[in-house]
Amino acid sequence: MVDFIGVGRVRELLGRRGTAHFIEELAGEIEADFRRWEAFEKSSRHASHSSVGVIELMPASDGRLYAFKYVNGHPKNTQEGLLTVTAFGVLADVQTGYPLLLSELTLTTALRTAATSALAARYMARRHSRVMALIGNGAQAEFQTIAFHHLLGIREVRLYDTDSAATDKLERNLARLRLPGLRVVRYASTAEAVRTADIITTATADKRNATILTPELIVPGVHVNAVGGDCPGKTELHREILLRSDVRVVVEYEPQSRIEGEIQQMPADYPVNELEAVLAGRAPGRASNDEVTVFDSVGFALEDFSALRYLWRIHQEERGAHLQVDLVPELKDPKDLFGLVLPQPQRLVTTAEVAA
Ligand SMILES: NC(=O)c1ccc[n+]([C@@H]2O[C@H](COP(=O)([O-])OP(=O)(O)OC[C@H]3O[C@@H](n4cnc5c(N)ncnc54)[C@H](O)[C@@H]3O)[C@@H](O)[C@H]2O)c1
């Protein structure tokens, strides 16, 4: 039997752990794994594109555990009442190749994306950053807000979305959450929302080279957490922002980000650093208070590896529903797989059983 973590179990685990604490612990796991970068077998994800979206497979292994995530990105889905991003994944034992865990990863992707964003911002945003503009108020938005409030000390979040109903939803949810000391302010445009913000998070969904942020909106010292541009032909930043002389760009895994990130708009020798080099202290996340820093996030398989392992651990630690699925046959004789297919021998029914 293989352990199973469904949406209900993740909700239960979040209820027990607390969402902010969950994100904090997960950020710690992701940081620890990025710090042992060399231990991992890494590859860009395998993407299958269509005119409306993408379906991706994301594998990673440290030689002991192997993980993969299935994830989609379909920006028009919300018009049909469906999520833009859904995901599930598997954690497996490299020694036997047996799956250990089958898990939902839709909620978990939002949690790990927020954890990674906040982790990067800790090294890249100016110290004492207090104000974050959040452009794109859809499914990822609350998770990003909680992570930046809890891990960065953000005290004001400025909201803008082209869909005012999305901002209504975010405002409502944040009001219910009552994050201590957090001021929530909505704006009528991106330009107004980002003015004087310390951090700008863009988490919009649109399958095109959008220009959510244009050069005149970017002031010295700002940190841009660019989450929504994560596919060929799907970006959020005007390329001139990346051409500034004072810009510093950090990516997760360079070969993948060259294809999928904001830097797909740049030549192949455009300078970037990988997050692992920043975490290891080999490259600065920010060299001065005046630099413009950009975390060009696309989502890397290592983050899902960390998330699956973390989920599996707390699933075992915490009380509650411990479901399993019969994903792999259990056999007395492993060579007798066909024995499962053969009709089971008939058992003689006793007269007493018939009478009952
Ligand atoms: N980097 C990562 O690791 C990672 C992880 C998960 C999701 N994503 C990406 O993040 C984005 C957001 O994901 P989501 O699940 O919240 O999607 P979503 O569809 O739930 O929300 C996106 C929001 O962006 C808004 N939007 C679109 N164009 C806009 C514009 N020009 N200005 C302001 N708002 C605009 C939409 O109205 C919508 O409310 C997607 O593009 C997704 O692919 C990236």
Side-chain angles (χ1 to χ4, degrees), residues 269-336:
D269 61 352
Y270 177 80
V272 296
N273 284 123
E274 286 181 325
L275 181 59
E276 69 85 19
V278 172
L279 300 181
R282 284 185 285 104
R286 160 177 294 277
S288 79
N289 268 343
D290 290 337
E291 265 187 347
V292 170
T293 51
V294 176
F295 180 47
D296 181 6
S297 165
V298 294
F300 182 47
L302 187 49
E303 296 148 30
D304 303 302
F305 176 100
S306 311
L308 279 162
R309 192 195 46 211
Y310 170 69
L311 262 184
W312 196 41
R313 176 163 65 73
I314 64 171
H315 173 64
Q316 287 160 340
E317 283 171 12
E318 297 280 1
R319 285 178 294 111
H322 286 94
L323 299 180
Q324 293 193 308
V325 282
D326 64 340
L327 202 60
V328 176
E330 283 169 17
L331 303 169
K332 282 206 186 88
D333 175 359
K335 297 192 178 177
D336 188 16

Side-chain angles (χ1 to χ4, degrees), residues 80-317:
E80 310 295 327
L82 301 173
L83 284 151
T84 296
V85 176
T86 69
F88 69 91
V90 167
L91 191 66
D93 178 5
V94 170
Q95 276 303 310
T96 60
Y98 266 45
L100 302 165
L101 170 69
L102 170 66
S103 178
E104 91 80 46
L105 288 179
T106 303
L107 273 169
T108 305
T109 291
L111 292 156
R112 74 81 155 128
T113 303
T116 309
S117 288
L119 172 62
R122 266 185 178 168
Y123 289 81
M124 298 180 70
R126 275 173 307 182
R127 281 164 64 85
H128 311 303
S129 290
R130 290 291 171 264
V131 178
M132 177 166 90
L134 181 48
I135 313 302
N137 301 160
Q140 310 299 317
E142 288 82 354
F143 300 90
Q144 290 282 332
T145 307
I146 293 169
F148 277 83
H149 172 263
H150 187 62
L151 296 177
L152 267 289
I154 288 301
R155 289 294 170 262
E156 181 169 317
V157 65
R158 301 178 175 173
L159 316 181
Y160 176 68
D161 193 300
T162 42
D163 174 12
S164 61
T167 309
D168 293 344
K169 173 258 349 176
L170 178 56
E171 257 191 329
R172 235 179 6 252
N173 285 344
L174 292 178
R176 283 187 61 183
L177 272 175
R178 293 212 194 102
L179 299 175
L182 184 74
R183 195 164 164 247
V184 179
V185 194
R186 63 189 293 165
Y187 284 84
S189 69
T190 295
E192 289 167 83
V194 305
R195 193 172 299 140
T196 72
D198 300 304
I199 297 175
I200 305 171
T201 290
T202 52
T204 67
D206 202 351
K207 202 172 159 43
R208 67 190 175 98
N209 291 116
T211 45
I212 305 301
L213 297 182
T214 44
E216 72 282 3
L217 300 180
I218 303 299
V219 296
V222 75
H223 173 62
V224 179
N225 171 40
V227 172
D230 56 359
C231 257
K234 178 168 175 273
T235 52
E236 295 182 305
L237 307 188
H238 191 293
R239 68 189 296 276
E240 301 249 319
I241 295 171
L242 302 171
L243 289 170
R244 287 175 69 114
S245 59
D246 60 350
V247 77
R248 180 176 296 276
V249 178
V250 171
V251 299
E252 288 141 311
Y253 178 56
E254 189 178 337
Q256 182 180 318
S257 301
R258 293 263 173 219
I259 302 165
E260 302 179 350
E262 298 301 327
I263 59 166
Q264 67 185 266
Q265 308 179 73
M266 294 291 117
D269 61 352
Y270 177 80
V272 296
N273 284 123
E274 286 181 325
L275 181 59
E276 69 85 19
V278 172
L279 300 181
R282 284 185 285 104
R286 160 177 294 277
S288 79
N289 268 343
D290 290 337
E291 265 187 347
V292 170
T293 51
V294 176
F295 180 47
D296 181 6
S297 165
V298 294
F300 182 47
L302 187 49
E303 296 148 30
D304 303 302
F305 176 100
S306 311
L308 279 162
R309 192 195 46 211
Y310 170 69
L311 262 184
W312 196 41
R313 176 163 65 73
I314 64 171
H315 173 64
Q316 287 160 340
E317 283 171 12

